[in-house]
Amino acid sequence: MTKYNIFTEPLEIYNHMLSDIRRAKKSIYLETYIFDKDIIGYKFKQLLIKKASEGVKIKLLIDSWGSSVKEYYFEELKKNGAEVKFFRKFKITPRLFSTNHRRNHRKLLLIDEKISYIGSANITASCLGSMELVLRMEGEITKKFILFFNNHYKYEDIIISRKLYRIFYEDLKIIGDSISYLKRITEKEYMSLIRKAKKEVLIMTPYFVPPTKMRKVFYNLMKKGVVVSIIVPVSSDVKLADLIRDSYLAALYNKGVQIYFYKPGFLHSKLLVVDDEYFLMGSSNVDYRSFRWQSEINIIGRNKNVINGLRNEFNKTLRESVPFDYERWRLRSRFKRLLERIGEYIRKYL
């Protein structure tokens, strides 16, 4: 039977992760988009060095664009037997951006084949002021996550049919996207879940740039009387994404979608809850780049205790958020409107 814990505070997340790593006896697998050369990255690195020296098997898969650390940062760790791999190193090519923006956005920590962490948190002090969402699971499901990790570790830079995309376990489904414009596993699963909604859809995402067909699904849900509530940050760390997002909000609002801005800080949580029947959470944003061009890992489930816990976190976040102000949006400057149009135009070519 799988045990679950939900965390949203970065410091609490890191403390639990480090505590579990200290107790590791056999293996530690870590996959992350950001691993920074700061106080948080240093704590993880030093503890991993200690565990490697004790004979614990360690594998790291780190995105080479998202992270500030370079290979030399892990020299001592590798000397103690750990494996460290950087996902798709930056390449100088004529198509500089289109080649290099296809990234590994997954976030996983797997310990001793019995403890799994999945969610939004990277290994960086820069998120200490953010709101994150991480699910800690204890049980045999970790072995399934390890299958995903090892498959991605081995085949991350190769287009082959042996990549894993879905694994079922108890009342859970693990879904993994490997960079592919055609497959888009998470987008398809996300669309399937929201189409099932009869009463309510709850969404939290730091970047809200949904595909056109997803916006149409929201419009159809409004006609059926389904309540759709979306929480986004007031502003994210990607201003272009905010510009494109803001150009969509009024149309969604006027159709009846309830939109809220989280005020205390940067909301980095990624969550979908449908009718208190299904949840989806992990590393994916509601964002065309996340769905189409990034390797992601998410989990879908129907466990009532987990859904209740996630709903509680959504409600807490909602209490710290303010509704979308249509009048303020309508009176935005001409310059802002121009930037939105430029952003939408650029998006088509990214």
Side-chain angles (χ1 to χ4, degrees):
M1 195 71 178
T2 306
K3 297 179 181 178
Y4 303 92
N5 297 98
I6 299 167
F7 302 110
T8 60
E9 295 293 332
L11 197 55
E12 184 180 21
I13 293 166
Y14 295 142
N15 285 338
H16 277 87
M17 285 180 169
L18 292 167
S19 178
D20 285 334
I21 289 171
R22 281 189 198 97
R23 291 193 292 268
K25 302 296 182 185
K26 297 178 181 178
S27 61
I28 302 166
Y29 300 146
L30 174 64
E31 184 168 10
T32 186
Y33 176 61
I34 299 174
F35 194 120
D36 274 341
K37 190 177 179 181
D38 56 25
I39 184 63
I40 298 299
Y42 180 79
K43 283 184 177 181
F44 273 82
K45 183 185 78 165
Q46 292 305 111
L47 186 53
L48 290 170
I49 290 170
K50 181 177 184 297
K51 300 310 293 186
S53 70
E54 294 171 3
V56 175
K57 182 179 181 180
I58 294 174
K59 285 186 180 181
L60 272 61
L61 180 56
I62 299 169
D63 190 82
S64 59
W65 189 342
S67 300
S68 65
V69 297
K70 305 301 178 186
E71 289 194 40
Y72 68 83
Y73 189 71
F74 296 107
E75 280 304 311
E76 188 176 355
L77 181 60
K78 290 191 286 186
K79 285 177 182 177
N80 280 279
E83 297 179 39
V84 181
K85 191 173 183 179
F86 281 80
F87 182 93
R88 295 195 177 189
K89 295 177 183 178
F90 188 86
K91 296 178 182 177
I92 303 296
T93 69
R95 300 183 65 186
L96 187 69
F97 185 80
S98 61
T99 298
N100 290 293
H101 83 146
R102 303 177 186 195
R103 308 312 318 163
N104 180 24
H105 198 242
R106 298 183 181 190
K107 299 152 184 78
L108 275 181
L109 174 61
L110 312 171
I111 299 167
D112 282 353
E113 298 186 354
K114 65 179 182 180
I115 296 172
S116 309
Y117 287 85
I118 183 172
S120 65
N122 292 290
I123 308 302
T124 171
S126 66
C127 79
L128 289 175
S130 304
M131 179 181 170
E132 303 287 348
L133 185 63
V134 169
L135 187 64
R136 180 188 184 273
M137 290 166 282
E138 193 167 344
E140 292 294 306
I141 192 172
T142 303
K143 293 179 181 178
K144 305 298 183 182
F145 278 114
I146 289 173
L147 291 176
F148 263 98
F149 177 90
N150 283 330
N151 181 265
H152 203 222
Y153 192 88
K154 185 176 183 179
Y155 299 127
E156 52 86 12
D157 205 21
I158 306 171
I159 301 173
I160 59 169
S161 60
R162 280 177 280 177
K163 288 183 178 178
L164 277 175
Y165 295 103
R166 293 179 179 89
I167 290 182
F168 293 85
Y169 179 81
E170 294 179 350
D171 57 354
L172 300 167
K173 177 163 55 172
I174 305 168
I175 55 173
D177 274 305
S178 290
I179 297 163
S180 169
Y181 181 83
L182 295 175
K183 287 193 177 292
R184 289 148 61 178
I185 303 299
T186 305
E187 181 179 345
K188 291 172 183 176
E189 295 280 3
Y190 209 101
M191 295 279 284
S192 174
L193 288 176
I194 60 178
R195 283 192 178 111
K196 290 178 181 179
K198 293 180 173 58
K199 297 179 181 178
E200 185 178 52
V201 173
L202 308 178
I203 294 171
M204 288 197 291
T205 181
Y207 314 108
F208 184 68
V209 188
T212 302
K213 60 183 177 181
M214 186 175 289
R215 300 201 299 275
K216 289 179 180 178
V217 173
F218 290 142
Y219 299 153
N220 289 334
L221 291 177
M222 296 299 99
K223 293 175 184 177
K224 297 176 183 178
V226 176
V227 176
V228 178
S229 301
I230 301 170
I231 306 177
V232 295
V234 173
S235 60
S236 74
D237 56 346
V238 182
K239 300 310 175 189
L240 177 59
D242 291 347
L243 280 170
I244 300 170
R245 174 198 74 184
D246 290 352
S247 69
Y248 297 151
L249 295 183
L252 289 166
Y253 174 84
N254 286 331
K255 293 290 185 179
V257 176
Q258 298 179 6
I259 301 163
Y260 301 90
F261 292 103
Y262 179 69
K263 291 209 74 177
F266 179 35
L267 178 127
H268 194 237
S269 308
K270 301 105 170 27
L271 175 66
L272 169 68
V273 177
V274 176
D275 286 349
D276 285 343
E277 292 289 332
Y278 303 94
F279 74 87
L280 184 155
M281 63 159 295
S283 63
S284 288
N285 304 304
V286 184
D287 166 12
Y288 73 100
R289 282 194 64 227
S290 180
F291 288 147
R292 299 179 186 183
W293 303 121
Q294 295 180 336
S295 288
E296 306 279 8
I297 188 113
N298 296 276
I299 188 164
I300 297 171
R302 303 192 66 176
N303 183 285
K304 291 295 184 182
N305 291 330
V306 176
I307 290 172
N308 288 339
L310 293 171
R311 170 178 269 286
N312 288 339
E313 294 301 338
F314 184 93
N315 289 337
K316 274 197 269 183
T317 308
L318 191 61
R319 289 193 291 271
E320 297 182 283
S321 304
V322 295
F324 171 69
D325 187 335
Y326 176 74
E327 284 305 311
R328 183 175 179 181
W329 177 88
R330 193 175 62 82
L331 296 173
R332 69 201 188 285
S333 69
R334 290 181 180 178
F335 181 64
K336 177 81 182 300
R337 293 169 195 242
L338 175 63
L339 290 177
E340 289 171 5
R341 290 183 181 180
I342 293 171
E344 178 61 18
Y345 178 80
I346 292 172
R347 184 194 73 83
K348 298 174 183 178
Y349 299 94
L350 295 181

